Amino acid sequence: MSHDTSDRNLRILLASRPERAPSAENFTLEEAPIPEPGEGEVLLKVLYLSLDPYMRGRMSAAKSYARPLEIGEVMEGGTVARVIASRHPGFAEGDVVLSYSGWQRFALSDGTGLQKLDPARAPV
């Protein structure tokens, strides 16, 4: 693997549903090993995370257009990430992609929903 093995995967999980405005108590910071990609998967290193208003609704169990996050799940969010290891024929190490990797440093993907970006066309 090309990633620094001293790195750990830091993930922010939904710990409880906010009653009003979200606070630090609604989240848990978890340190975990960096996952290894299986056949057909890529390992992504998140470069940028988009924080959007819809995330508040995903923390609620109320009926909505999108499935609510379960307690203990990684917080969802759109990301820009770099492929740092690939066992997927459509992606190579070094590719930069749009993904929904969420609030974590590293994520696995089977390629579904990933969109390649071209850093030569515009700054990432």
Side-chain angles (χ1 to χ4, degrees), residues 48-56 59 75-79 102-103:
Y48 299 101
L49 168 65
S50 177
L51 295 175
D52 299 296
Y54 82 89
M55 292 174 177
R56 176 62 180 96
M59 290 183 238
M75 278 297 300
E76 184 175 287
T79 60
W103 297 15

Side-chain angles (χ1 to χ4, degrees), residues 1-4 34-38 40-48 79-99 101 105-117 119 124:
M1 293 252 136
S2 63
H3 59 272
D4 180 352
I34 297 171
E36 296 287 335
E41 292 183 321
V42 295
L43 176 62
L44 303 173
K45 183 170 186 177
V46 173
L47 305 173
Y48 299 101
T79 60
V80 173
R82 182 177 319 279
V83 175
I84 60 170
S86 180
R87 296 185 66 196
H88 187 291
F91 298 93
E93 186 176 318
D95 284 348
V96 177
V97 297
L98 284 176
S99 68
S101 301
R105 184 178 287 165
F106 296 95
L108 288 178
S109 173
D110 65 3
T112 303
L114 294 185
Q115 181 180 346
K116 286 185 191 180
L117 298 175
V124 172

Side-chain angles (χ1 to χ4, degrees), residues 1-68:
M1 293 252 136
S2 63
H3 59 272
D4 180 352
T5 55
S6 67
D7 279 343
R8 301 282 290 166
N9 192 14
L10 295 179
R11 308 169 353 144
I12 301 204
L13 312 177
L14 182 63
S16 61
R17 301 203 185 280
E19 295 295 320
R20 292 192 169 80
S23 67
E25 290 74 33
N26 299 122
F27 306 98
T28 301
L29 176 63
E30 175 183 86
E31 188 173 322
I34 297 171
E36 296 287 335
E39 192 61 39
E41 292 183 321
V42 295
L43 176 62
L44 303 173
K45 183 170 186 177
V46 173
L47 305 173
Y48 299 101
L49 168 65
S50 177
L51 295 175
D52 299 296
Y54 82 89
M55 292 174 177
R56 176 62 180 96
R58 297 294 308 277
M59 290 183 238
S60 169
K63 190 170 177 73
S64 177
Y65 66 92
R67 177 188 69 81

